[in-house]
Amino acid sequence: MIGGTGALGPHVARALHERGHDVTLFHRGQHESALLSGIRHFRSPQAALPVLNFPAELLRGEFEIVIHMIPMGEADARTAAHTFAGRVQRLVALSRGDVYRAYGRFTGLEPGPVETGLLNEDSPLRKILYPYRAQAKSIDDLNYVYEKILVEREILGQALVPATILRLPKVYGPDGNQNLASVYGYRDRPGWRWTHGYVENVAAAIVLASVHPLAANQVFNVGEAYTPTISERLQTLPLSTVPRIEAEGHDFHHDIAYDTSRIREVLGYTEPVSYEQGLRRTLRAG
């Protein structure tokens, strides 16, 4: 696993370890997790974002699967693709729903009419690249190089190793987004829909897609089977003082709601943690 010490990665590593896999995390060593006992660590400053080099000592190891938890853009995705092509049996990269054209229209990055319905893996992608470059303070800022569309192109574009792309939802759980700001912050947008995923459920999807033979050379949306409106979510949540998110310039007629049927039908994915239980665990931590 490239990266894997943030809010999501430890759950992926632990789930793989519990399934009997030998797991190695390549990271800087600046964050550790109690979930990672029994996991091999390879700590190196070369694991800083974006990851553009891999130590020779690491590459002397034999790996069947590489899961890139933190690809940022074209350069680091190309580095991973070139480094591990021909060395491993599967290369997995995490992407996001901001690749979709609907997201570009939602944020005002791209013009165009409202796109109704759910976003599936074949929905149109943005034509305008680098969605956060305007927020970058310099060319060294990660927002300057961030582009998951280019990550997907590089990972899927090589032919020497089967690849899998996972487009993740907004993740929440005890170690990240635990105040559910991505819900409470939009209380003034009751009809808007944004696909979320409890951290252990998202981790389970990553593990399944990483080892399942039918996931090779495929793209999968990950997230809830049904995306509730903000109003529907708030009906099951206690009151909160989380500040409102203004999101100036965003068009909330555009939902960012995924169709997640492909990973369910092709790979047999189901959530190990119910929606209600995930919320309870998250709120206890928040």
Side-chain angles (χ1 to χ4, degrees):
M1 292 176 58
I2 303 170
T5 59
L8 174 59
H11 293 277
V12 177
R14 183 180 67 173
L16 285 165
H17 181 68
E18 290 176 348
R19 291 179 63 152
H21 298 286
D22 293 325
V23 181
T24 297
L25 266 64
F26 175 58
H27 62 99
R28 293 175 298 169
Q30 296 187 3
H31 301 91
E32 304 289 345
S33 170
L35 294 174
L36 296 177
S37 60
I39 306 297
R40 186 183 302 111
H41 295 260
F42 192 105
R43 300 173 179 88
S44 169
Q46 289 179 284
L49 293 174
V51 181
L52 299 176
N53 294 284
F54 293 94
E57 184 180 350
L58 175 68
L59 299 179
R60 282 195 286 270
E62 294 184 2
F63 306 103
E64 295 178 344
I65 299 168
V66 171
I67 304 175
H68 202 329
M69 300 290 295
I70 50 173
M72 291 288 110
E74 184 175 35
D76 60 337
R78 180 176 297 164
T79 295
H82 288 180
T83 299
F84 295 105
R87 291 175 177 261
V88 299
Q89 299 175 20
R90 181 77 63 80
L91 178 57
V92 181
L94 304 190
S95 185
R96 288 168 52 178
D98 59 13
V99 299
Y100 290 116
R101 183 174 67 188
Y103 180 83
R105 292 181 177 176
F106 165 66
T107 62
L109 182 67
E110 292 195 10
V114 173
E115 297 189 17
T116 59
L118 299 176
L119 298 168
N120 63 45
E121 292 84 350
D122 299 317
S123 294
L125 305 186
R126 283 183 286 103
K127 293 182 179 179
I128 299 177
L129 300 180
Y130 304 109
Y132 311 116
R133 180 166 281 185
Q135 303 171 23
K137 296 182 173 66
S138 72
I139 61 173
D140 297 321
D141 191 317
L142 288 176
N143 281 329
Y144 191 85
V145 299
Y146 174 96
E147 181 51 86
K148 292 289 189 179
I149 290 176
L150 298 181
V151 169
E152 295 187 9
R153 287 180 189 173
E154 291 294 331
I155 298 298
L156 293 173
Q158 53 76 36
L160 293 178
V161 58
T164 303
I165 298 293
L166 297 168
R167 294 174 180 161
L168 301 192
K170 180 61 179 177
V171 180
Y172 64 93
D175 299 312
N177 195 25
Q178 60 264 46
N179 64 353
L180 295 175
S182 56
V183 176
Y184 287 118
Y186 296 104
R187 61 177 68 88
D188 292 337
R189 312 290 183 175
W192 188 54
R193 301 170 68 196
W194 183 13
T195 299
H196 281 56
Y198 179 64
V199 62
E200 291 183 48
N201 294 336
V202 175
I206 294 170
V207 170
L208 176 64
S210 297
V211 302
H212 201 298
L214 294 181
N217 301 316
Q218 293 286 335
V219 177
F220 295 101
N221 284 340
V222 177
E224 305 153 314
Y226 169 72
T227 298
T229 65
I230 295 296
S231 176
E232 289 171 329
R233 293 190 192 278
L234 291 174
Q235 289 174 16
T236 65
L237 293 172
L239 295 176
S240 172
T241 58
V242 169
R244 287 171 168 80
I245 298 174
E246 297 301 330
E248 184 177 350
H250 289 50
D251 184 351
F252 285 86
H253 293 97
H254 293 272
D255 289 330
I256 308 299
Y258 301 170
D259 177 349
T260 62
S261 60
R262 178 182 290 180
I263 194 170
R264 300 170 191 279
E265 295 170 0
V266 176
L267 306 186
Y269 169 75
T270 57
E271 287 88 346
V273 179
S274 71
Y275 179 67
E276 294 76 15
Q277 183 63 30
L279 288 177
R280 284 195 292 271
R281 293 179 184 178
T282 301
L283 290 170
R284 280 200 299 267

